Structure formats: structure tokens, C-alpha cells
Amino acid sequence: PEKIKYSVVIPVYNEEENIPILYERLSTVLDGMDGRSEIIFVDDGSSDKTWELIEEISSEDTGVRAISFARNFGHQIAITAGINNSSGEAVITMDADLQDPPEVIPDLVEKWKQDYEIVYAVRKKRKGENFIKRGLAWLFYRFINRISSVDIPLDVGDFRLMDRKVVNVLKNLDEHYRF
């Protein structure tokens, strides 16, 4: 079988309203890509119909894989599980709440094809978030950069593309909380 070129890892928690829309938009984008893709949904212990929707989609689309946690372990653990189970040459992580537009994926891939091993999407606006949450996010990134020896790009979320080389290094780290 053709090797998987793109893996899209999506941690989900109580996202039943977004799953059908996300899947439709993401499928449209991936269908236009230059290689075989997989979507990996990681249900982080949802209590709504999220898991049932993911199971239904994965039973109809062989390019969709589904992982379910028995309880909520947290966002970063769900991302880690998806990354560890991915097989694409490029792995894209994104949230399910549609604040990360799937239509940006070709832009991330274009940079990857220019030999960037990690490509971050930077939010211009934090749609749907109140002033307090936006302010706290703004402070968080700046505070982390001040106290950390690692330079973290400002205003990035989990919407990123990583080359398989980077993913393989990540998989060998013992850390569970990889922010």
C-alpha cells in the first residue's frame, strides 16, 4: 500500500457539534493533497456523543483512525497518543474546535516542502474568546519566554506540522507533558 504522507492528529473532548464539520472540511483539504493521508482522532474521555461520531466516521472512512481514552487524561496526553500512533512523513496537530482552520494545512505543507522540520501556525485573532482569556494567553506566552531558556514562538497553539524526524525524537522523550 501507498505510504502515508500526512497524519493529522486531533485530540477531542466533548466536541460532538464540531466533529462532522471538522471532518468534512479536513477531508476536503486532504483530498486535494499530493499524497495519502490519515486522520487520527483521540477522544480524551468525552461524555457526549463525540466517540460515537468518531466511530461512525472511522467505520466509513479507512483513512480515519480512532483512539479512545477511558477517562480524561488531558490535552497533551491525547496529542502524545496521536503522535505516537501516527505514521505520516509529516504530522499535523490541531484542535477540534475549528479555531485552527484546516484550510491552512496546505500552507504548512508548503513550508515543510521548503525543508522546515517544524512549522507553527500563529493565530492572528483568538476568535470566540473573551478579553480575560485572550489577555491571559498573551501573558502566558510572554511569561514562559521570560523564565524559560527555550524560545517559544508567541501566540502559537497546537496547530503545527512536524517532520517525521522530529516526531521520532519526540517519541523517544520520557516526558508526558510536552508543551
Side-chain angles (χ1 to χ4, degrees):
E2 180 185 2
K3 281 183 72 172
I4 293 175
K5 191 164 189 176
Y6 306 107
S7 296
V8 181
V9 173
I10 307 170
V12 294
Y13 179 73
N14 292 341
E15 293 285 351
E16 69 180 311
E17 292 179 18
N18 291 328
I19 296 296
I21 300 163
L22 172 62
Y23 172 69
E24 180 181 327
R25 287 175 59 187
L26 188 54
S27 294
T28 299
V29 169
L30 295 176
D31 286 347
M33 302 291 283
D34 64 340
R36 187 170 166 218
S37 302
E38 67 179 352
I39 300 170
I40 303 171
F41 285 108
V42 183
D43 182 30
D44 191 17
S46 295
S47 58
D48 64 358
K49 294 186 188 304
T50 296
W51 177 244
E52 289 85 359
L53 289 167
I54 292 169
E55 276 189 313
E56 181 180 325
I57 291 169
S58 67
S59 71
E60 296 171 4
D61 183 342
T62 58
V64 175
R65 297 174 53 205
I67 299 169
S68 177
F69 291 167
R71 66 173 181 83
N72 183 273
F73 286 94
H75 190 260
Q76 292 301 315
I77 300 290
I79 288 175
T80 298
I83 289 171
N84 288 346
N85 284 280
S86 69
S87 54
E89 295 172 40
V91 177
I92 299 143
T93 61
M94 64 184 297
D95 291 339
D97 61 7
L98 294 170
Q99 288 209 30
D100 301 330
E103 294 79 12
V104 172
I105 289 174
D107 297 331
L108 302 178
V109 168
E110 184 179 320
K111 290 292 184 187
W112 175 63
K113 288 180 177 180
Q114 294 172 18
D115 292 328
Y116 290 93
E117 293 178 345
I118 302 174
V119 183
Y120 290 99
V122 178
R123 289 184 177 149
K124 292 180 182 177
K125 294 183 181 180
R126 298 183 73 86
K127 184 179 170 185
E129 295 178 356
N130 65 37
F131 173 77
I132 293 170
K133 188 168 182 182
R134 285 192 314 268
L136 289 173
W138 186 89
L139 284 171
F140 171 78
Y141 285 105
R142 282 140 186 93
F143 177 73
I144 288 293
N145 272 338
R146 184 168 285 256
I147 66 169
S148 173
S149 62
V150 177
D151 188 27
I152 298 173
L154 297 176
D155 302 318
V156 299
D158 291 308
F159 194 16
R160 73 178 68 93
L161 179 149
M162 296 175 287
D163 185 85
R164 173 54 51 186
K165 291 181 278 189
V166 173
V167 169
N168 289 341
V169 170
L170 271 177
K171 288 170 71 170
N172 289 321
L173 296 175
D174 290 336
E175 299 163 354
H176 294 289
Y177 299 100
R178 297 179 175 169
F179 173 81

